[in-house]
Amino acid sequence: MIEDRDTSSRAPEEARAPEEARAPEEAWGAGRGYGPISPRHPLGGEMSDVARGIFSRLRLPRLLQRYAQVRVLAVFSLVNGFVSIGLMAALAAATKAPFVFPSLGPTAFLFFYTPRAASAAPRNTLIGHSIGIAAAYFSLLVTGLTDAGPATAASVTFPRALAAALSLGLTAGLMVLARAPHPPAGATTLIVSLGILDRPPMMLVLLGGVALLTMQAILINRLAGVDYPLWAPRQARGAEDAAPHVSAPPGRSAAIGAGEQP
């Protein structure tokens, strides 16, 4: 009977052990700009936070009650993308300059889908696209294609293939070295290395377009109440950058994870 009593008293303690060893639940996104799918974030990004802030600022109570619905977010994304790129396209039409180009699309989506992610920060955006343009022009110089004109699918030569591969490789490596990763810059470097926009004045206009879109991102995200940086991405606090918790395997003591050898 004594043994039975001791066993029953140990059972709750053993049942609680895995719960105590389990790490506390992480706050959604933990300031990284992204997180798992959740009722408030049905897409996993921060678009619902941006939409909620804009609806609140514009005093749209009916939309504010439905800000996390996928249909509402789809319409918000449509309108936001139309306005953001539409303004750039209108400027391009008025000035006859290439203020709108394909890689602005994914940049705009990053700005409003994961605005607090490092890759969406103004620093990463401007430096990333600048690296992409410089790497592509260097590739054109190395391969002697600065005056070759744009390539088409039927006229991709070996020098053009080398220029494209070299430009993308240099862009990826230099963005890492500069600690300024921005994925859409990979499209920008190909636009230049494939000869679509290969003149230095055009490249300056490209950067101007990126800068104007970045200003839109600052304005819209700040208007929505999102803690969007003015330049560099936010630095993680110590607790946010802690090593992930690893639970002890079944049948082993949790003390092993604390340094005790199995």
Side-chain angles (χ1 to χ4, degrees):
M1 295 294 292
I2 296 176
E3 291 180 0
D4 291 342
R5 218 177 282 122
D6 291 341
T7 303
S8 61
S9 63
R10 284 198 305 267
E13 296 176 1
E14 291 175 358
R16 285 195 301 267
E19 297 180 3
E20 294 171 354
R22 192 181 305 136
E25 185 177 353
E26 181 184 46
W28 188 93
R32 293 187 302 265
Y34 59 90
I37 302 294
S38 69
R40 289 181 54 197
H41 302 89
L43 304 178
E46 291 183 299
M47 185 181 293
S48 56
D49 294 332
V50 179
R52 180 183 58 189
I54 294 296
F55 295 157
S56 176
R57 182 75 67 171
L58 297 179
R59 298 182 179 180
L60 301 171
R62 293 185 64 181
L63 289 177
L64 190 58
Q65 294 173 358
R66 300 172 174 83
Y67 76 93
Q69 293 182 4
V70 173
R71 287 177 297 178
V72 173
L73 291 176
V75 174
F76 174 77
S77 183
L78 186 154
V79 173
N80 198 18
F82 178 86
V83 172
S84 298
I85 298 301
L87 290 175
M88 305 301 298
L91 180 61
T95 61
K96 307 300 181 184
F99 277 103
V100 63
F101 49 95
S103 53
L104 277 187
T107 292
F109 196 81
L110 271 182
F111 280 156
F112 306 114
Y113 176 66
T114 53
R116 291 193 298 166
S119 59
R123 176 187 180 276
N124 290 38
T125 302
L126 294 171
I127 292 179
H129 283 287
S130 298
I131 288 174
I133 292 171
Y137 193 67
F138 174 77
S139 300
L140 293 178
L141 289 173
V142 168
T143 55
L145 295 174
T146 52
D147 297 317
T152 62
S155 63
V156 175
T157 61
F158 284 108
R160 182 68 72 181
L162 175 62
L166 181 60
S167 67
L168 188 58
L170 285 173
T171 298
L174 291 174
M175 283 197 299
V176 172
L177 285 177
R179 298 186 179 185
H182 183 70
T188 296
T189 199
L190 291 178
I191 289 171
V192 177
S193 62
L194 291 176
I196 300 171
L197 296 172
D198 58 355
R199 303 298 178 192
M202 294 181 179
M203 299 175 196
L204 292 177
V205 174
L206 292 187
L207 283 179
V210 172
L212 289 174
L213 187 61
T214 303
M215 292 173 63
Q216 289 185 47
I218 294 173
L219 177 63
I220 293 174
N221 282 309
R222 288 292 179 118
L223 189 67
V226 175
D227 187 23
Y228 184 71
L230 294 176
W231 179 239
R234 304 296 186 198
Q235 298 294 319
R237 301 180 183 91
E240 295 173 353
D241 201 32
H245 177 82
V246 179
S247 301
R252 294 194 181 186
S253 171
I256 293 175
E260 182 181 315
Q261 296 297 323

